Amino acid sequence: MLIYVDDLLITENEAAMIEKLKMILHASFRMKDLGELKYFLGFKILRSSKGILLNQRKYALELIEETGLGGAKLVCSPMEYNIKLTIAGYDFCLIKSGGKKIDDEVLQGEKEIYKRLIGRLIYLTHTRPYITFMVHHLSQFMQQPKRSHLEGALRVVEYIKKNLGQEILLSSAGQCQLLAFCDADWAACLMTTRLVTGFCVKLENSLIS
């Protein structure tokens, strides 16, 4: 059973168990049964012989409208090739050590807009794993975002426009076997020279993390 504010989701292999739980809940609370799950917390749920399809098309459209990018051109990747994003403190140390001044202002009035945008993009990664790296990279700059960070986040939104109908399949085939994969580059973080690691976890054929 999953509860979020006033929304309730019940799942169980046995239909009789679901009905029994409904009766128990109805005895204590006034509830409205909306039947089989079709839409929940920004997710549209579709069923087929292959499994369950999840998409967030409506949520993505709302994000595009909120950011005012309805008329923006499409881009072919969620981030610019070879882009290097840094924190303001790193830029300052670079200048102190004789480096070139970087024309990249720290956001003031748009700081809260950036935070909200990143939060919404993180939620979209549930059905769009291909934006995960860029979104998590941008989330590292929440404390003191710069103009380049905001532009990077808006580019992700422009990329999402390219394929609004993206879905993720939770397959009904196969066994309940967990598979995990990971990889790391070599000292790619510009500010710390540490490894950048990526991973994915699948339940048989279904990507879950």
Side-chain angles (χ1 to χ4, degrees):
M1 185 168 67
L2 176 64
I3 302 173
Y4 182 80
V5 189
D6 59 350
D7 291 316
L8 177 68
L9 176 63
I10 303 172
T11 180
E12 165 62 45
N13 289 333
E14 298 289 336
M17 290 290 290
I18 294 177
E19 292 304 318
K20 186 176 180 180
L21 179 56
K22 283 181 185 178
M23 290 177 61
I24 294 170
L25 292 171
H26 272 296
S28 301
F29 307 100
R30 188 172 66 179
M31 297 168 53
K32 184 178 180 182
D33 190 348
L34 299 176
E36 190 177 82
L37 183 65
K38 294 179 181 177
Y39 194 84
F40 191 70
L41 301 181
F43 288 86
K44 187 174 183 180
I45 294 90
L46 303 167
R47 291 170 177 81
S48 74
S49 57
K50 294 181 179 179
I52 297 173
L53 284 168
L54 304 178
N55 79 54
Q56 293 173 284
R57 188 176 189 277
K58 184 173 181 290
Y59 187 88
L61 284 169
E62 290 171 355
L63 177 58
I64 292 166
E65 182 180 357
E66 183 181 302
T67 53
L69 293 174
K73 65 177 183 179
L74 303 179
V75 295
C76 60
S77 64
M79 63 185 293
E80 290 183 38
Y81 178 72
N82 214 25
I83 189 172
K84 301 293 184 183
L85 299 176
T86 57
I87 60 173
Y90 176 85
D91 298 344
F92 180 72
C93 291
L94 200 64
I95 295 167
K96 281 186 69 177
S97 61
K100 185 180 178 182
K101 184 179 180 181
I102 301 171
D103 186 20
D104 190 7
E105 64 172 311
V106 174
L107 298 180
Q108 299 300 330
E110 295 168 299
K111 185 176 180 180
E112 295 305 316
I113 295 173
Y114 179 79
K115 289 181 176 180
R116 175 174 169 79
L117 177 55
I118 295 300
R120 299 203 68 175
L121 286 173
I122 289 172
Y123 197 59
L124 270 174
T125 60
H126 290 300
T127 54
R128 288 170 166 77
Y130 50 81
I131 66 170
T132 301
F133 172 77
M134 184 57 175
V135 172
H136 284 194
H137 185 44
L138 289 167
S139 70
Q140 298 176 45
F141 309 107
M142 300 278 268
Q143 187 174 358
Q144 202 173 24
K146 301 188 298 182
R147 177 64 51 189
S148 59
H149 304 146
L150 179 59
E151 290 172 355
L154 292 174
R155 182 185 172 91
V156 177
V157 179
E158 292 170 355
Y159 180 67
I160 288 168
K161 276 186 61 184
K162 187 180 178 185
N163 193 357
L164 283 170
Q166 178 71 34
E167 299 173 327
I168 195 161
L169 174 67
L170 302 179
S171 177
S172 58
Q175 304 297 318
C176 289
Q177 181 182 9
L178 277 175
L179 301 170
F181 306 88
C182 68
D183 196 8
D185 57 16
W186 182 254
C189 180
L190 190 64
M191 295 166 289
T192 64
T193 66
R194 292 177 181 170
L195 299 176
V196 176
T197 305
F199 73 92
C200 70
V201 180
K202 300 176 77 176
L203 184 60
E204 197 63 31
N205 297 321
S206 304
L207 183 67
I208 58 174
S209 179

